[in-house]
Amino acid sequence: MWADSREALADLDLPDCDRVLDVGCGTGELTRVLREESGGTVVGLDADAVLLESVPGPVVQGDATRLPFAEDAFDLVVCQALLINLPDPEAAVREFARVASGRVAAVEPDNGAVTVESTVDSEPRLARRARRYFLDGVRTDVTLGAGAADVFDAAGLDVVSTRRYDQHRTVEPPYDEAAVRAARRKATGEGLATDRATILDGETTPEEYDALRQRWREMGRTVVAQMQDEAYERRETVPFFVTVGRV
């Protein structure tokens, strides 16, 4: 994220922030960007202590819905790809607003609008089907990005802006190890096997899942064959929405 442009972060007013909190920071991808763009202190917070080991300090272990900070402790509170994983995103945004004196921001994807282009003809179609099956079994709003402004409004924030940022993930020769591993997972069906329980939590039947996995593995073998000829290319576009609210 943010390797090509950071224009969508402009309304966070990062250069003017003395203290910033990155909630659900994970391994610190956004934290590092915030530290580069801000002249102040950026604190990373996550519930997972193991993930925090990858983030240089200052970091704090904590819950996004019960932040261990006083009111108005930060100029800006921000999260990335967090609200889509929470059963009550509005409760989290209210907590963000409690500890923010200025602004709250969320960088959230619309996972229902992801697109895939590929030199393997069947891959875009199968990717759409797999995503539809998977999202049907997820119990949180994984399309929240485009509607985050409504969550902010419900939480009592004045929405400043919403900007779209498209993250492009490309695979092309020469292939790195991550691309090779992804191809192998497709050829073996390992990725779909990992998601089986979630998929079947929706309306997808075991027979539909098995049929998809069979076609997915066939597609994966074609991917591997094209990679051996250095002919495989793939482009995935994930739309993110940067929503900024004023406390």
Side-chain angles (χ1 to χ4, degrees), residues 179-217:
V180 173
R181 285 198 304 270
R184 289 172 180 162
R185 284 169 61 85
K186 290 172 184 173
T188 61
E190 180 183 350
L192 282 180
T194 301
D195 294 336
R196 185 178 188 274
T198 300
I199 289 173
L200 295 182
D201 274 346
E203 297 183 0
T204 305
T205 66
E207 293 75 19
E208 289 172 328
Y209 166 82
D210 290 339
L212 171 63
R213 188 161 183 255
Q214 179 181 345
R215 294 186 178 92
W216 190 266
R217 293 174 66 185

Side-chain angles (χ1 to χ4, degrees), residues 26-27 46-55 61:
T27 55
D46 202 277
D48 192 327
V50 175
L51 294 179
L52 288 175
E53 292 176 0
S54 302
V55 187
Q61 184 178 6

Side-chain angles (χ1 to χ4, degrees), residues 143-166:
T143 67
L144 181 142
D150 294 334
V151 177
F152 275 42
D153 184 65
L157 293 171
D158 293 325
V159 177
V160 173
S161 65
T162 297
R163 296 189 183 216
R164 176 168 171 161
Y165 172 83
D166 285 345

Side-chain angles (χ1 to χ4, degrees), residues 92-175:
V93 172
R94 289 184 183 278
E95 183 68 351
F96 296 176
R98 181 185 67 80
V99 303
S101 63
R103 296 190 172 196
V104 170
V107 183
E108 299 291 330
D110 179 350
N111 284 327
V114 176
T115 60
V116 172
E117 302 170 66
S118 173
T119 54
V120 176
D121 292 340
S122 63
E123 185 170 13
R125 181 180 69 258
L126 291 173
R128 285 194 301 272
R129 186 180 305 173
R131 186 175 301 107
R132 185 175 72 250
Y133 285 0
F134 179 81
L135 297 184
D136 184 53
V138 175
R139 298 302 175 225
T140 59
D141 185 1
V142 294
T143 67
L144 181 142
D150 294 334
V151 177
F152 275 42
D153 184 65
L157 293 171
D158 293 325
V159 177
V160 173
S161 65
T162 297
R163 296 189 183 216
R164 176 168 171 161
Y165 172 83
D166 285 345
Q167 181 192 21
H168 301 293
R169 303 169 180 170
T170 59
V171 177
E172 58 187 6
Y175 308 112

